[in-house]
Amino acid sequence: MPIYAQVFLRHARPSFDRLYDYLVPPPLEGIIRPGMQVLVPFGRGDSLRPAFVRRLADGPSETKGPVTLKSIDSLVENFPLLRGDQLELCEHMAIRYATTRGEAARLMIPALTEEAAGPGGGRVRHVSLTDREAAISLLENGDVTHVNQIRIMEFLLDAEAPVAAHDLLTACQLTESTLVTLRRKGWIETSWLTEEPAREEPAAPLVVDPAALRLTPGQQAALGRLLAAYKGRGEPGPRVREYLLQGVTGSGKTEVYLRLAEAVVAAGQGVIILVPEIGLTPQMSERIQSFFGEQVAIQHSRLTPRERQRQWELIRSGRVQVVVGARSAVFSPLENLGLIVIDEEQESTYRSDRNPRYDARSVARLRVRDRQALLLLGSATPSLESRQRCDRGMSELLRIGERPAGARLPSVRVVDLRQQAAGGIEGLFSPVLHRAMTETFARGEQVMLFHNRRGWSGLEICSHCGAVVECQACSVAMTLHLGRHGRPDRLECHYCGLTHAVPPVCPSCGEAALAPRGFGTEQIESIFKEVFPGRRILRMDQDTTTGRGSHASILGAFRRREADCLLGTQMIAKGHDFPDVTLVGVLLADQLFQANDFHASERGFQLLTQAAGRAGRADRPGHVIIQAFATDHEALNRAVAQDYEGFYRQELRFREKLGYPPYSTMGTITVSHSSDPFAERACRSIMEELVRQARRAGLVGLRVLPPTPAAIQRLNNRSRWQLHLTSPLTRDIAWLFGIAAGMRLESGTAIGLSMDPA
Ligand code: ADP
Ligand code: ZN
């Protein structure tokens, strides 16, 4: 009978994150199991701390002489929160992402919320405005200086009745801290009320009857290979059985996922299907749900904590076999996992932007490794890393080259904006695009316009002294936005959310010469209405999609033909399939290639190819018009020609020459502090320590570049410095990250660790 347990703490600093031995008290013998959450006395004061049981044993793991081991105090739940393979995953993640086991575990279980521990009786915390009239005048006078706060106040004004706190926060995509601030100012108040049942968005009708589909030869070949691989899963093979399904946009990759998943479920195993963002791809999840019905659970960030908990429980208890979700669904507690599918695998949403900065693709590899499970990545434009894994024999490439019968790839035309007579329609719609739009509308078909900048206009530049209005807290220019009265009279920082009225004169020279520059989606919407009177337009960007279900309702309205044109940022470039869209316009393609990191070309190529793929997916031919100034840009032309192979080879050569990923792993350490010299100094001392340790360990092929200010040096009143490391071995970077994370730094210093590929 095992009477010892090894546990790790739920909350630990890196320096004391390890396995600790405890005695299992007699009443818990036979009850306690690995993965259970327990309370243990810890430290000198023996305060009770939550911990997870890693394993049970007949004896203590350490032989440190006659120590009197402490006993486990009690169980938190009477069932394991973590499964065996998840416990292993915690260990792997702690090493790979320089995090603690407890932090990794946190990703795998739903947050235990305040609501869960609330006063009960089905009552939850609600929020309302303290004084509606006062709120209106605060907003009118511009006294609310943060977009997050404005969002909440406006939401509450619209709502009229108190709103459940978790609904409010998920709808506005915000965290508790904004509520705390607003409560401190006395602008909102909270109360405990009975919760209203949530209203469900009506699902958009499905376009195709799944039973009626006959697979194309390309789909059939890919599926055949995957089914064979799945059947042979018990035979000896590579540690990770990985496949890359590369199919042009609209080639029907989803159909392949579904039929493979069907076979896996039929064999009694579970399936995880990851999509970039549920809200952006409602069709995909509807398609999966209509295929599998009751067997599907959904996991994503816009669920209320309670709903999330319910879905998690469905999975944990084995009542569902299929999970669809965004990044974090890769951690789902399916018992007998047989397949992980990652759709649009190149999407950046698979990388976490918070610590631990994991990549769902790498985590998926860890989860299927050494198990009888398959990993399937799918994309029209695979990331260089994933595609190169095929060339290196770590993954197998499966291709679908054609669209189902009748659907053709769109024709693509590039318009050189330099050749366009100035004036035109304010230089926004070239005559070519304008004519094509007019004709498309006249035929009763729909148009999608793609522009990757939100707000009214790019910069507010003083035409007298040339100064830009910068954010007070960040070293970035502010963006002009529509204000409360429908006029562009408000500036907003897209990084920290600070907002205020446009100053009457230039803050640097005092002249009244501030003028807008460039176009954002708000202004384009307004110009569209002038240029195409009577045509209806929907705008989809971060500003129109803060409410819960707003993505789905905009996309649904467009599908129901309630608008002629859908204008949006990169949000609309992905995976949507609108049968009546026959024209896609990209207003300024140059923008897609402007970013100051080495991924710029790759991302631009992917976005442009994806956006172009939206046109003409049914039996009507599609057209794509791409406007650009730099029409000779290499990646742009490869995208226009839909030449993935050419792009891939060319970009790989460039990466190889510079020793960039995927030829190395790049680690970036960002050090921030409110004082600039402090941040720089801390960055330097980390570099010195890492170099010293690397020398001592004799690491080979490691490069450490000297500290540089981050691209945005000041963010939210903190100065940021960066250190770049590259190495042929991911392991070495992870090891150095661990050292950096464990260093004692001046108080007030924060460090962020990110790896590429992560
Ligand atoms: P992808 O994800 O590869 O871009 P989708 O899976 O979204 O493509 O499929 C594009 C469209 O083609 C969808 O409307 C889908 O229902 C349809 N489709 C898929 N396979 C077939 C098929 N074999 N025959 C007819 N239509 C199909
Ligand atoms: Zn700012």
Side-chain angles (χ1 to χ4, degrees):
M1 187 53 78
I3 48 161
Y4 295 89
Q6 288 184 304
V7 309
F8 61 86
L9 295 175
R10 183 164 174 152
H11 308 285
R13 281 166 187 274
S15 53
F16 59 87
D17 175 42
R18 51 187 190 83
L19 296 177
Y20 293 95
D21 286 332
Y22 278 86
L23 279 170
V24 176
L28 291 184
E29 276 178 34
I31 295 175
I32 205 160
R33 275 178 288 156
M36 282 186 170
Q37 185 173 212
V38 293
L39 291 178
V40 294
F42 189 83
R44 243 173 283 151
D46 274 349
S47 59
L48 291 183
R49 304 276 213 101
F52 291 99
V53 178
R54 173 70 179 92
R55 62 175 70 90
L56 299 170
D58 297 329
S61 58
E62 298 168 75
T63 43
K64 286 198 300 193
V67 279
T68 16
L69 285 181
K70 296 174 191 171
S71 280
I72 288 177
D73 178 83
S74 54
L75 294 181
V76 181
E77 295 86 4
N78 58 4
F79 57 88
L81 284 183
L82 298 168
R83 294 190 179 282
D85 73 317
Q86 292 182 310
L87 288 168
E88 271 174 50
L89 193 55
C90 289
E91 304 270 341
H92 290 309
M93 286 191 66
I95 297 166
R96 170 139 189 167
Y97 299 111
T99 183
T100 61
R101 295 168 179 85
E103 277 293 295
R106 190 178 53 81
L107 300 167
M108 302 176 198
I109 51 187
L112 297 180
T113 57
E114 194 182 334
E115 270 70 33
R123 291 190 306 159
V124 296
R125 197 167 45 112
H126 279 61
V127 182
S128 53
L129 291 167
T130 318
D131 180 340
R132 294 180 58 85
E133 296 308 312
I136 292 170
S137 66
L138 285 167
L139 288 165
E140 296 274 322
N141 300 339
D143 293 335
V144 192
T145 57
H146 206 282
V147 274
N148 294 351
Q149 297 172 11
I150 293 178
R151 232 182 253 169
I152 293 214
M153 306 261 296
E154 289 188 335
F155 196 99
L156 292 174
L157 269 179
D158 288 345
E160 304 206 322
V163 180
H166 61 68
D167 284 347
L168 178 64
L169 294 177
T170 24
C172 298
Q173 295 272 286
L174 295 173
T175 57
E176 186 70 27
S177 68
T178 312
L179 292 188
V180 172
T181 312
L182 288 173
R183 201 163 38 202
R184 200 173 331 114
K185 294 187 176 201
W187 295 346
I188 61 168
E189 55 194 13
T190 53
S191 49
W192 291 85
L193 301 170
T194 322
E195 191 177 29
E196 296 273 324
R199 261 171 309 168
E200 289 280 315
E201 277 285 326
L206 280 168
V207 206
V208 218
D209 171 17
L213 286 186
R214 283 201 40 193
L215 294 187
T216 62
Q219 285 172 319
Q220 225 149 31
L223 180 62
R225 177 73 195 104
L226 289 164
L227 287 174
Y230 182 65
K231 289 215 182 74
R233 65 190 182 280
E235 293 155 19
R239 298 188 72 187
V240 177
R241 293 169 194 270
E242 178 175 339
Y243 295 83
L244 174 63
L245 181 60
Q246 182 176 0
V248 295
T249 51
S251 59
K253 293 182 286 292
T254 310
E255 215 49 45
V256 177
Y257 307 152
L258 288 178
R259 296 192 192 203
L260 176 63
E262 190 181 27
V264 174
V265 170
Q269 287 198 296
V271 178
I272 297 174
I273 302 179
L274 298 186
V275 295
E277 201 189 310
I278 287 266
L280 294 183
T281 48
Q283 262 188 307
M284 177 80 173
S285 26
E286 281 160 23
R287 181 86 189 79
I288 296 167
Q289 275 177 307
S290 79
F291 196 89
F292 287 107
E294 298 279 279
Q295 283 174 324
V296 182
I298 304 249
Q299 290 275 296
H300 62 89
S301 63
R302 289 195 178 205
L303 294 178
T304 64
R306 192 188 286 190
E307 185 55 17
R308 215 177 157 81
Q309 176 110 23
R310 201 181 70 82
Q311 298 279 344
W312 181 83
E313 188 52 39
L314 278 177
I315 305 167
R316 195 197 61 80
S317 62
R319 272 173 287 163
V320 301
Q321 297 299 328
V322 182
V323 181
V324 188
R327 176 174 74 221
S328 61
V330 76
F331 298 110
S332 303
L334 278 168
E335 171 152 30
N336 182 4
L337 185 64
L339 170 68
I340 301 180
V341 174
I342 306 186
D343 187 36
E344 306 285 357
E345 66 84 26
Q346 80 286 356
E347 285 295 332
S348 59
T349 51
Y350 289 124
R351 296 172 55 112
S352 169
D353 49 11
R354 261 169 291 166
N355 286 340
R357 300 192 184 215
Y358 69 91
D359 185 317
R361 293 169 301 181
S362 307
V363 174
R365 278 181 201 116
L366 290 174
R367 277 204 85 173
V368 303
R369 192 167 86 184
D370 298 331
R371 295 205 164 72
Q372 298 184 5
L374 255 50
L375 171 61
L376 174 60
L377 308 181
S379 175
T381 51
S383 62
L384 290 193
E385 286 90 1
S386 298
R387 181 49 205 274
Q388 200 211 26
R389 290 175 70 82
C390 298
D391 294 350
R392 293 164 63 192
M394 301 152 86
S395 175
E396 186 177 324
L397 182 63
L398 306 167
R399 270 196 253 226
I400 311 181
E402 77 276 349
R403 286 181 167 190
R408 273 165 290 165
L409 280 173
S411 70
V412 184
R413 174 161 179 195
V414 180
V415 174
D416 188 339
L417 289 176
R418 288 170 300 193
Q419 317 252 305
Q420 300 298 309
I425 300 117
E426 307 204 34
L428 185 63
F429 302 114
S430 62
V432 175
L433 180 58
H434 182 261
R435 194 174 336 110
M437 287 172 70
T438 310
E439 289 168 6
T440 308
F441 292 144
R443 282 197 304 272
E445 295 165 357
Q446 290 176 300
V447 175
M448 277 172 91
L449 289 180
F450 182 70
H451 188 71
N452 222 11
R453 184 159 290 167
R454 68 186 176 97
W456 181 265
S457 66
L459 298 172
E460 183 85 344
I461 286 184
C462 172
S463 57
H464 186 70
C465 73
V468 169
V469 181
E470 275 203 354
C471 172
Q472 287 149 17
C474 314
S475 52
V476 295
M478 296 188 81
T479 304
L480 191 58
H481 273 258
L482 286 176
R484 289 178 57 74
H485 302 291
R487 284 190 301 274
D489 54 10
R490 182 172 70 82
L491 293 177
E492 183 183 315
C493 170
H494 281 184
Y495 290 85
C496 74
L498 199 76
T499 179
H500 56 75
V502 175
V505 295
C506 169
S508 6
C509 72
E511 292 283 322
L514 288 169
R517 269 281 177 87
F519 299 103
T521 45
E522 288 176 355
Q523 191 178 2
I524 295 170
E525 180 182 13
S526 125
I527 295 173
F528 177 96
K529 288 176 177 160
E530 277 169 40
V531 176
F532 299 99
R535 295 295 175 196
R536 295 156 307 169
I537 184 168
L538 285 168
R539 172 161 63 89
M540 182 155 155
D541 55 29
Q542 207 178 310
D543 301 305
T544 62
T545 53
T546 51
R548 182 180 347 170
S550 47
H551 290 119
S553 65
I554 294 175
L555 295 170
F558 189 56
R559 179 177 310 283
R560 290 189 303 272
R561 311 272 342 228
E562 285 165 24
D564 306 291
C565 181
L566 176 64
L567 162 68
T569 53
Q570 65 185 60
M571 276 183 189
I572 66 168
K574 303 167 193 168
H576 309 300
D577 186 14
F578 298 105
D580 289 332
V581 171
T582 53
L583 175 66
V584 169
V586 179
L587 294 176
L588 186 58
D590 308 71
Q591 228 170 38
L592 304 179
F593 297 94
Q594 287 159 0
N596 41 17
D597 73 286
F598 68 88
H599 278 298
S601 288
E602 184 179 6
R603 236 176 270 130
F605 174 84
Q606 289 163 345
L607 268 176
L608 209 51
T609 313
Q610 296 277 346
R614 297 309 116 219
R617 304 193 89 190
D619 46 3
R620 269 169 289 182
H623 302 280
V624 181
I625 295 175
I626 296 172
Q627 305 189 133
F629 284 101
T631 50
D632 43 9
H633 194 292
E634 168 102 37
L636 184 147
N637 286 300
R638 299 274 190 197
V640 167
Q642 303 264 321
D643 177 14
Y644 179 86
E645 295 305 314
F647 170 76
Y648 168 70
R649 259 185 284 280
Q650 139 103 25
E651 187 66 14
L652 268 190
R653 270 197 297 276
F654 163 75
R655 300 274 184 95
E656 184 171 24
K657 210 182 292 165
L658 298 177
Y660 281 161
Y663 291 92
S664 65
T665 298
M666 184 180 280
T668 304
I669 300 180
T670 306
V671 182
S672 74
H673 193 281
S674 54
S675 139
D676 191 59
F678 274 53
E680 182 183 1
R681 204 175 331 136
C683 200
R684 215 164 275 289
S685 64
I686 292 174
M687 177 189 73
E688 284 157 10
E689 178 64 12
L690 296 189
V691 168
R692 191 163 38 237
Q693 298 273 4
R695 271 216 197 97
R696 193 182 305 162
L699 299 193
V700 178
L702 176 77
R703 271 197 306 170
V704 181
L705 301 178
T708 49
I712 294 168
Q713 186 169 1
R714 212 165 166 74
L715 191 67
N716 238 329
N717 283 320
R718 294 178 69 86
S719 257
R720 300 153 77 238
W721 281 72
Q722 284 184 331
L723 202 57
H724 293 286
L725 328 166
T726 55
S727 163
L729 294 176
T730 305
R731 200 178 54 216
D732 288 355
I733 301 281
W735 181 70
L736 292 169
F737 272 13
I739 293 170
M743 277 176 71
R744 288 180 61 93
L745 299 167
E746 201 108 35
S747 86
T749 313
I751 80 170
L753 305 166
S754 79
M755 224 171 356
D756 186 354

